[in-house]
Amino acid sequence: MKEITGAKIVLETLKYLGVKDIFGYPGGAVIPIYDALYDFKDIRHYMARHEQGAVHSADGYARTKMVPGVCLATSGPGATNLVTGIMTAHMDSVPMLVITGQVSTSFLGKDSFQESDIIGITSPITKNNYLVRDINELPEILKEAYSLASHGRPGPVLVDIPKNIQEQKLDYIVFQELLKKEIKEIKKFKPLYEEKDILEVEKYLNSSEKPVLVVGGGVLNGDCVEEIKLLSKRLKLPVVSTLMGLGIFNKKDKGYLGMIGMHGLLEANRAVDEADLLICVGMRFDDRIVGDKNRFSPNSKKIHIEIDRAEVNKNIVVDLPIVGNAKDVLKNILSLDLKNSFEFWRDSFKRTKSTEEKSLNQIAALNVLNEILDDDYIVVTDVGQHQMFTAQHLDIKKPFQFCTSGGAGTMGYGLPAAIGAQVANPNKKVIVIVGDGGFQMNQQELILLAQYNLPVKILIFNNGALGMVKQWQELFNNKRYSSVILDINPDFVKLGNAHFVEGEKIDNLQNLNRLKEILENDKPYLLDIQMSFEHNVYPIIPAGKSYEHTIGGV
């Protein structure tokens, strides 16, 4: 009788689901799975150098390929090292299947070696998680978890598999039957709006003179870019974006004003502040967007189109919540006989343009990128000043070209996420823009570029500081720079060389012209770009404050 192990079931089920690539790090509780991987030809495994690198790589893979990313780690510290990455994916609604090994079922709850309650630890930051106790349930659980990750509002799902389950064997014919068995139907999402709610949208528009369309990452997840552009074009609306919605519109789209929020562009934030109606689609009213919730867009009615009921009225009480799939809702709105036109209001704004810089700084580097990058690139950032400079000044031309940690703000995200993005998109150029602080958090992942021949280009915006925290200490703590000065940094070029990645230091504006030649190279490359310590990112609205308290910007 032919049999199959639990470990092999994991791989065969992933293959059945269409998974081609996984990111992981081996350990004692997943040795059976790694043994099965040894001669399994249908799934490529990318060995990270830290579990956090693996989970961020799966995240970058998912965000740029629009399929769940998959990562694998052992029990105990291996599993807990994934937690930051799971939280990062959870905050930004990224579909991910996380597989962890666990001590054998007979050792559960006994403080066994490398035992951790990863189910309990990750419950608040996953859509669901499963502890497998029966090998017969393994195929169904994996299929259900993979499907659930993308269902409704996407997010991470974790499957914890004890080692003895991986080692057990199952009749192969039984496995085939279980594999083909339809999973129990995930409870279908039921829209909570009615036709009268759609008709209400028309009434709100008819009574409005200053409406603004606010787009978030839910527009990308909801596959409704075409519908949202049709709506903005038909009504001639001014449009603003959250950080996660960047790429839905670009600077060529009439009426598009850029990012809103704490580091939003002045005209974009002004539009929201002066609006009498906000049509918000697939976004959260998080504190970086809202600031002082009592002063946020104070004179506007608010329509909130959102798939997750839990997000409605969480931070801002809205006038018309429409809980449903954004694509369906927008189609219904577009079917209305809307004759409104807000061209005069839309054209009263002039999108903020990047300044021409005469010295080497973050904006100058991004201006050069704007001149040379075509439509076929992906830009990943880490978190900090460079991230906000990029969000403000880089012309992101298409959806899914921009990959960043928004809600979690995870430093150390950039490099491993870029690795995942490059694996997912081998024919595209992948650039990671990272600060000197964030780069050092997961620099060990550099070796993957050489190991797997991944031509990621690394642009370190090196200002010798934890720039964003430094900026806050400068503005709000009387320049008491506490533990933010990185005056002793590694030689990043030599560090790259040690990992078989060529690189160079750029310390003047003229040498930025080498970027085009470097980006066309088919090998990984590291640029250590020397930035001024003094250069801060503006405008900024202090935390908890409103538009009228904006500091800086033109």
Side-chain angles (χ1 to χ4, degrees):
M1 182 178 68
K2 187 178 178 181
E3 294 181 313
I4 182 171
T5 64
K8 192 72 177 290
I9 286 174
V10 172
L11 301 184
E12 290 288 354
T13 306
L14 292 179
K15 175 186 171 184
Y16 177 81
L17 292 167
V19 174
K20 303 289 185 187
D21 307 290
I22 64 174
F23 305 86
Y25 197 94
V30 284
I31 285 177
I33 295 177
Y34 274 86
D35 184 65
L37 264 172
Y38 181 78
D39 52 5
F40 195 83
K41 305 299 184 187
D42 298 303
I43 293 177
R44 291 179 292 271
H45 174 264
Y46 293 85
M47 183 189 166
R49 294 303 188 267
H50 190 286
E51 289 87 353
Q52 188 180 350
V55 68
H56 289 326
S57 291
D59 180 305
Y61 188 97
R63 293 193 202 223
T64 57
K65 198 174 175 69
M66 290 78 77
V67 298
V70 181
C71 64
L72 170 65
T74 190
S75 62
T80 57
N81 281 342
L82 299 173
V83 170
T84 298
I86 297 172
M87 178 238 189
T88 303
H90 170 73
M91 293 294 284
D92 290 345
S93 306
V94 178
M96 187 184 295
L97 174 60
V98 181
I99 299 172
T100 50
Q102 184 55 277
V103 300
S104 294
T105 50
S106 60
F107 292 102
L108 283 171
K110 301 182 185 299
D111 290 337
S112 307
F113 177 69
Q114 290 192 335
E115 180 190 7
S116 67
D117 177 14
I118 197 63
I119 298 293
I121 291 169
T122 60
S123 288
I125 52 173
T126 53
K127 291 185 71 174
N128 200 0
N129 50 31
Y130 305 80
L131 174 60
V132 182
R133 290 179 177 272
D134 184 340
I135 190 172
N136 289 283
E137 297 177 349
L138 187 52
E140 182 177 0
I141 286 176
L142 286 168
K143 288 191 295 180
E144 184 175 299
Y146 189 83
S147 176
L148 184 60
S150 300
H151 184 79
R153 180 179 177 178
V157 180
L158 184 142
V159 179
D160 197 27
I161 310 174
K163 189 173 182 179
N164 63 311
I165 300 294
Q166 299 170 38
E167 293 168 332
Q168 286 175 10
K169 294 181 179 178
L170 185 68
D171 185 309
Y172 193 79
I173 294 174
V174 173
F175 162 66
Q176 286 290 321
E177 292 171 350
L178 291 171
L179 187 65
K180 294 172 183 173
K181 181 182 174 185
E182 288 191 12
I183 56 174
K184 64 181 179 183
E185 189 174 3
I186 294 175
K187 193 175 182 181
K188 285 188 176 178
F189 176 78
K190 293 183 179 177
L192 300 179
Y193 66 93
E194 300 174 3
E195 185 180 355
K196 66 180 179 61
D197 296 317
I198 300 298
L199 296 174
E200 279 289 301
V201 174
E202 186 172 10
K203 291 181 182 177
Y204 276 89
L205 284 168
N206 288 339
S207 62
S208 170
E209 295 180 351
K210 299 177 179 179
V212 172
L213 182 59
V214 186
V215 298
V219 172
L220 297 172
N221 289 333
D223 187 26
C224 55
V225 173
E226 182 180 346
E227 288 79 7
I228 203 84
K229 288 196 169 188
L230 274 174
L231 184 66
S232 72
K233 190 174 180 180
R234 181 183 296 182
L235 299 179
K236 297 181 172 54
L237 292 166
V239 181
V240 299
S241 174
T242 68
L243 177 65
M244 304 315 299
L246 293 177
I248 298 168
F249 290 82
N250 64 51
K251 68 178 183 181
K252 292 181 180 177
D253 290 311
K254 201 166 181 58
Y256 177 57
L257 302 174
M259 184 178 74
I260 57 169
M262 176 178 282
H263 287 288
L265 299 178
L266 275 181
E267 287 290 89
N269 278 338
R270 181 169 76 83
V272 170
D273 189 67
E274 296 180 1
D276 63 8
L277 175 64
L278 295 185
I279 307 167
C280 307
V281 185
M283 57 87 72
R284 301 185 294 123
F285 291 93
D286 73 87
D287 58 294
R288 291 297 170 110
I289 295 290
V290 171
D292 179 355
K293 65 181 183 180
N294 296 317
R295 284 283 303 128
F296 174 71
S297 191
N299 300 313
S300 69
K301 301 284 187 183
K302 297 171 184 69
I303 300 171
H304 191 190
I305 300 169
E306 170 60 45
I307 198 168
D308 187 353
R309 183 180 182 178
E311 290 297 337
V312 175
N313 293 334
K314 178 190 281 183
N315 298 318
I316 291 289
V317 177
V318 300
D319 300 277
L320 178 57
I322 303 179
V323 180
N325 179 287
K327 193 178 185 75
D328 295 337
V329 174
L330 289 170
K331 281 182 175 177
N332 286 328
I333 293 173
L334 287 166
S335 70
L336 299 173
D337 186 25
L338 300 174
K339 298 187 184 305
N340 316 71
S341 175
F342 302 96
E343 187 172 12
F344 183 77
W345 158 246
R346 182 194 67 185
D347 293 347
S348 68
F349 297 97
K350 291 184 178 178
R351 191 176 192 277
T352 308
K353 293 182 178 178
S354 291
T355 54
E356 290 188 15
E357 301 295 312
K358 297 181 179 178
S359 61
L360 180 58
N361 60 41
Q362 292 88 340
I363 298 173
L366 292 162
N367 286 343
V368 172
L369 287 176
N370 281 333
E371 292 174 5
I372 61 179
L373 292 181
D374 56 25
D375 287 1
D376 201 25
Y377 68 88
I378 293 169
V379 169
V380 182
T381 78
D382 208 79
V383 167
Q385 280 185 321
H386 69 278
Q387 177 193 32
M388 291 297 108
F389 276 121
T390 304
Q392 291 177 339
H393 297 282
L394 187 70
D395 180 24
I396 303 159
K397 296 181 173 64
K398 295 196 303 187
F400 306 108
Q401 279 192 316
F402 183 60
C403 183
T404 195
S405 169
T410 304
M411 285 181 68
Y413 170 85
L415 176 60
I419 289 168
Q422 188 70 82
V423 170
N425 302 273
N427 298 319
K428 293 188 177 181
K429 301 183 185 76
V430 175
I431 301 163
V432 56
I433 299 174
V434 58
D436 46 319
F439 181 73
Q440 293 181 68
M441 283 192 166
N442 270 316
Q443 64 191 22
Q444 77 284 342
E445 302 303 303
L446 261 176
I447 196 65
L448 272 75
L449 304 185
Q451 182 174 355
Y452 299 108
N453 193 27
L454 302 171
V456 173
K457 307 299 186 292
I458 303 165
L459 276 59
I460 301 177
F461 283 11
N462 184 352
N463 61 358
L466 302 178
M468 188 61 82
V469 185
K470 187 269 305 180
Q471 179 170 340
W472 281 46
Q473 291 180 348
E474 181 176 319
L475 293 175
F476 312 121
N477 294 85
N478 300 317
K479 296 187 178 182
R480 290 163 56 85
Y481 298 134
S482 180
S483 300
V484 294
I485 309 302
L486 302 178
D487 49 354
I488 305 295
N489 264 333
D491 183 322
F492 292 115
V493 174
K494 288 183 178 176
L495 185 67
N497 293 161
H499 293 77
F500 311 106
V501 175
E502 294 182 11
E504 63 188 271
K505 185 178 291 187
I506 286 184
D507 57 8
N508 64 70
L509 193 58
Q510 289 68 36
N511 284 349
L512 276 178
N513 294 326
R514 287 213 358 93
L515 271 174
K516 182 176 175 60
E517 176 188 344
I518 290 166
L519 294 182
E520 288 176 351
N521 194 307
D522 61 357
K523 294 181 179 178
Y525 205 84
L526 184 152
L527 283 176
D528 179 6
I529 306 176
Q530 303 294 297
M531 303 296 189
S532 167
F533 171 85
E534 305 289 341
H535 199 59
N536 286 332
V537 57
Y538 292 109
I540 176 174
I541 300 175
K545 300 293 185 181
S546 61
Y547 171 73
E548 63 197 28
H549 299 103
T550 300
I551 301 172
V554 292

